[in-house]
Amino acid sequence: MPLLIERIQEGTVIDRIQAFRGIRVLEILHLIPTGPNQAEMKSRIALVINVPSRHMGRKDILKIEGRELQPAEVNKIALIAPEARLNVIRGGKVGVKQDVKLPLKLEGIAVCPNPQCISRVEMDNSIFNTEPRGLRCQYCERLFAPSELLV
Amino acid sequence: MSDLISIRDLDKAAIEKLLASAEKMEQNLFTMHDTFKGKVAATLFFEPSTRTHLSFQTAAQRLGMSVVPYYHASSSSSKGESLKDTLKIVDGYADILVIRHPLEGSARWAAEVAQHPLVNAGDGGNQHPTQTLIDLFAIQKAKSKIKGLNVQLVGDLKHARVMRSLVYALGMFGANISLAAPVGLEMDPVIVKETEERFGAKISQTSKLDLADSDVVYVCRIQKERFSDPYAASKLQASFRISPELIKAAKEGMILMHPLPKLDEIPPEVDASPHAYYFQQARCGVPVRMAVLSYCMKG
């Protein structure tokens, strides 16, 4: 029996998220409010995990009702969901369709793989700058392939 | 006011300006004491140091500053105080901070915490930018140029932060670089490739010592403190020794450099050789660090 998720009229669909990474995408995009802000939340969010996909084998899909996410905002997930596609839905139709790409600066998304890096010991943040040959930790200055970062 | 965190933050023009300033400092070493009169420099050393710490203190005093030195072993950090708290306190006392810390990236982060200018005096295995400036200054002083010189970097190229900073700067200045390291202690290929691609530098690599073609041979010790097995470190050290016999093959005018402290890698007999240049190199520390402090204070 197919699992049916209602179409949204206005909002955002993030498709092609690597299977089982949808929850991390929710965290990175801060889509779930905390504390008293939860009572203020108007939009509905659907996360479908482990959906069969011709393109990827298995994938996650995220639907956010009533909120248009901007590409710059969604690009933050490129590290953990490099094949993700942003679809902005307007009047029940896809208005904007765009693949995510790594932003110039990734802040607070991944942990530096270098155990001697200050960001692993004294800080509660990390910053990586995108360069042609990889991602460079702003602190220890080491260059990593996106797949090497701890997410 | 500026920070000096990494040699990667400086372009060639900025380095040349610092080297020119260091030359002026050297010529006026004893007459600069009114430059920053009344200012205070704090030197925070969380790792052992002799030359770097003393030359920074001397440089600050030659510029008229008072110095408040901080020693990790006798401080509240040894009681468990966080680095951030220590920095915030010292930042409230001093006009400029000089920091050495074992964690990589510590200086960059410390500069974000501190409001006053900050100088990196070594952050773990990452960078030692003022040592690199000293090395460039010393090479230029001996050879009147850097471009086109055959510079050989020898020793533990994997762990030595001095080498990470230096190879980048030598590439920037157009030296022909060769790297000689024991197997397993080669320089991170990412740094080699980046230096080649960014500056079009020519970099060759070997695991055998041969000084014949070099204008400059720059040796660093095996970084025993970064090894889990000290015996393995000692064995590697013995295999990469600049002996008096080896140095006979060097061409006339070759200069032998070392950031010091030197251990077995250069035996004391070599000190008398006309090639030995490391003590003159070390003396460049004060004028270069005067130039750095001045650059950071003035921005």
Side-chain angles (χ1 to χ4, degrees), chain B residues 151-158 163 177-183 185-187 203-211 214 217-220 222 240 242:
Chain B
V151 182
Q152 185 169 190
L153 307 184
V154 177
D156 182 354
L157 306 184
K158 182 180 179 183
M163 297 304 201
I177 306 164
S178 61
L179 307 175
V183 174
L185 295 181
E186 296 92 349
M187 185 166 285
I203 303 180
S204 59
Q205 300 196 61
T206 175
S207 58
K208 285 187 181 167
L209 268 179
D210 179 2
L211 311 184
S214 301
V217 175
Y218 194 112
V219 186
C220 73
I222 303 291
F240 253 62
I242 307 289

Side-chain angles (χ1 to χ4, degrees), chain A:
Chain A
M1 185 128 174
L3 176 64
L4 294 178
I5 306 285
E6 205 177 310
R7 279 176 178 275
I8 56 172
Q9 292 301 306
E10 306 291 334
T12 304
V13 174
I14 303 176
D15 194 8
R16 296 189 182 180
I17 300 169
Q18 192 174 320
F20 306 107
R21 292 203 165 170
I23 291 171
R24 183 77 182 106
V25 168
L26 274 173
E27 288 170 357
I28 290 171
L29 297 178
H30 300 294
L31 291 171
I32 309 290
T34 53
N37 293 333
Q38 286 182 342
E40 304 291 319
M41 185 172 167
K42 298 282 188 293
S43 62
R44 295 182 295 176
I45 293 176
L47 171 61
V48 196
I49 297 172
N50 202 27
V51 180
S53 160
R54 263 183 297 175
H55 178 66
M56 303 173 68
R58 296 272 161 181
K59 66 178 180 180
D60 289 0
I61 303 171
L62 184 62
K63 292 188 174 188
I64 306 129
E65 186 187 44
R67 187 172 159 197
E68 282 192 13
L69 295 177
Q70 300 303 310
E73 207 175 347
V74 178
N75 281 342
K76 289 194 289 186
I77 70 167
L79 191 63
I80 63 154
E83 293 180 81
R85 176 172 285 177
L86 167 74
N87 301 282
V88 175
I89 311 296
R90 292 170 186 152
K93 293 180 178 168
V94 177
V96 176
K97 185 183 275 194
Q98 195 170 316
D99 292 338
V100 297
K101 59 177 183 185
L102 276 173
L104 290 176
K105 185 172 270 199
L106 270 175
E107 195 165 348
I109 309 292
V111 175
C112 181
N114 174 9
Q116 290 300 311
C117 179
I118 187 83
S119 68
R120 296 276 298 261
V121 184
E122 291 271 353
M123 300 170 60
D124 51 8
N125 195 17
S126 67
I127 300 176
F128 294 91
N129 296 302
T130 306
E131 294 186 5
R133 298 185 58 241
L135 290 154
R136 189 178 298 280
C137 173
Q138 178 151 312
Y139 296 95
C140 72
E141 303 187 14
R142 291 184 191 259
L143 193 67
F144 301 100
S147 59
E148 287 181 282
L149 299 195
L150 310 173
V151 291

Side-chain angles (χ1 to χ4, degrees), chain B residues 121-163:
Chain B
D123 59 330
N126 183 33
Q127 285 274 323
H128 196 353
T130 60
Q131 181 64 49
T132 298
L133 293 170
I134 291 165
D135 300 338
L136 295 177
F137 184 76
I139 293 172
Q140 230 172 30
K141 202 173 159 173
K143 296 287 182 188
S144 307
K145 63 173 189 175
I146 298 170
K147 189 175 182 178
L149 290 178
N150 294 333
V151 182
Q152 185 169 190
L153 307 184
V154 177
D156 182 354
L157 306 184
K158 182 180 179 183
H159 297 106
R161 59 188 164 212
V162 166
M163 297 304 201

Side-chain angles (χ1 to χ4, degrees), chain B residues 179-198:
Chain B
L179 307 175
V183 174
L185 295 181
E186 296 92 349
M187 185 166 285
D188 182 349
V190 174
I191 296 172
V192 175
K193 199 164 182 188
E194 188 193 0
T195 308
E196 285 175 332
E197 285 180 1
R198 196 156 181 174

